[in-house]
Amino acid sequence: MTYSRTFATALFFLVLLASAPVFAGAAPISVDAEGTAIKSSAYDVRKKATEASLKQAVTLAVGTVTSREGMKAADPAALAYINSNAAAYVTTYKILSEGWMTHFDVTQQAVEEALGADKGGQQAIPPPLSIEEQSLGVEVYHIRINATLDAAGLYAALVNFSGASPARQAGIYTLALVDMADYNVYNTAMAALLASPEIKDINYGSFYRGRITLTAASFLAGRTLAERLVRELGAGFVIGMDGERGILIKQAPAGVIPNEAQ
């Protein structure tokens, strides 16, 4: 089968309106979150409470991103990666309130964790709380914040680190840029691909007249990846599948009316 026939019979997706964002979750996310830390001499209590509030803000933002994008619940591997550096996804935050509160519902395990580690690196386990200590309660520092988060960064992490394990490797795709004689058109397509959070490790494959082939890795399935690229490349392109691992990208013919991916 010739290339032209393959291209003609491939399933093409009509592009979204040019005014659509790169993806639905691109807009920054603002959330209110609260973090706590039990009083202890083993660490900076205020800092620990702030870190806890940032992690909660990120967790809430992840829920918003997955909901906006129609994604399933976040993969545990992706969440672990994100939570390991939660502050990286917080663009700004302001403290709404902070201060000490006495809790009467803190568990013995929480108190043990709050005491931190001794010089030998082993956790210093305290004796069980006495009746008097339980009746007096435990001092806990609370910080409540309003945070603005990088939705695009969160989305990229969710896509690229979901299932990132020896059992599930990223798939390698061939991206073919077809009939892009105009350098500006080619440059626009490449800029969108390089900025895409769904793909990584883009490399040039081959150059033929009217066809430039790239390879790229993604954790998304082929059709899902193609549908994402429909939105990211914008109204000037149509995208189709060429088998399970091939994606064709072509400049949209004049007069094509943008629409949802078919």
Side-chain angles (χ1 to χ4, degrees), residues 1-9:
M1 180 179 292
T2 64
Y3 163 70
S4 60
R5 183 179 176 186
T6 301
F7 190 80
T9 58

Side-chain angles (χ1 to χ4, degrees), residues 64-75:
T64 299
V65 170
T66 55
S67 177
R68 285 180 180 178
E69 288 299 300
M71 303 169 70
K72 295 180 179 179
D75 186 283

Side-chain angles (χ1 to χ4, degrees), residues 53-222:
S53 69
L54 296 178
K55 286 186 177 182
Q56 187 191 56
V58 168
T59 298
L60 294 172
V62 165
T64 299
V65 170
T66 55
S67 177
R68 285 180 180 178
E69 288 299 300
M71 303 169 70
K72 295 180 179 179
D75 186 283
L79 281 178
Y81 171 81
I82 291 169
N83 286 328
S84 68
N85 193 22
Y89 302 98
V90 179
T91 55
T92 61
Y93 75 91
K94 62 180 178 180
I95 295 176
L96 303 177
S97 62
E98 61 180 306
W100 293 99
M101 292 181 64
T102 302
H103 286 242
F104 297 93
D105 56 351
V106 177
T107 65
Q108 177 69 21
Q109 180 182 356
V111 174
E112 292 173 3
E113 292 174 352
L115 289 183
D118 61 20
K119 294 182 180 179
Q122 301 297 318
Q123 192 174 47
I125 306 299
L129 295 176
S130 66
I131 299 298
E132 292 77 13
E133 288 173 323
Q134 292 179 38
S135 65
L136 292 174
V138 176
E139 293 297 301
V140 179
Y141 201 78
H142 286 247
I143 287 186
R144 185 167 175 268
I145 66 170
N146 173 263
T148 300
L149 296 104
D150 175 15
L154 285 171
Y155 177 66
L158 288 171
V159 169
N160 289 314
F161 289 89
S162 290
S165 67
R168 180 168 181 261
Q169 300 294 326
I172 303 300
Y173 291 89
T174 299
L175 311 177
L177 280 59
V178 181
D179 296 336
M180 294 187 187
D182 188 322
Y183 178 77
N184 290 330
V185 173
Y186 161 78
N187 197 45
T188 299
M190 282 303 304
L193 292 173
L194 291 170
S196 171
E198 284 90 6
I199 56 179
K200 57 183 181 178
D201 301 333
I202 296 178
N203 292 292
Y204 286 98
S206 59
F207 295 82
Y208 296 100
R209 184 176 180 82
R211 182 185 178 102
I212 299 172
T213 302
L214 314 169
T215 60
S218 177
F219 284 106
L220 296 182

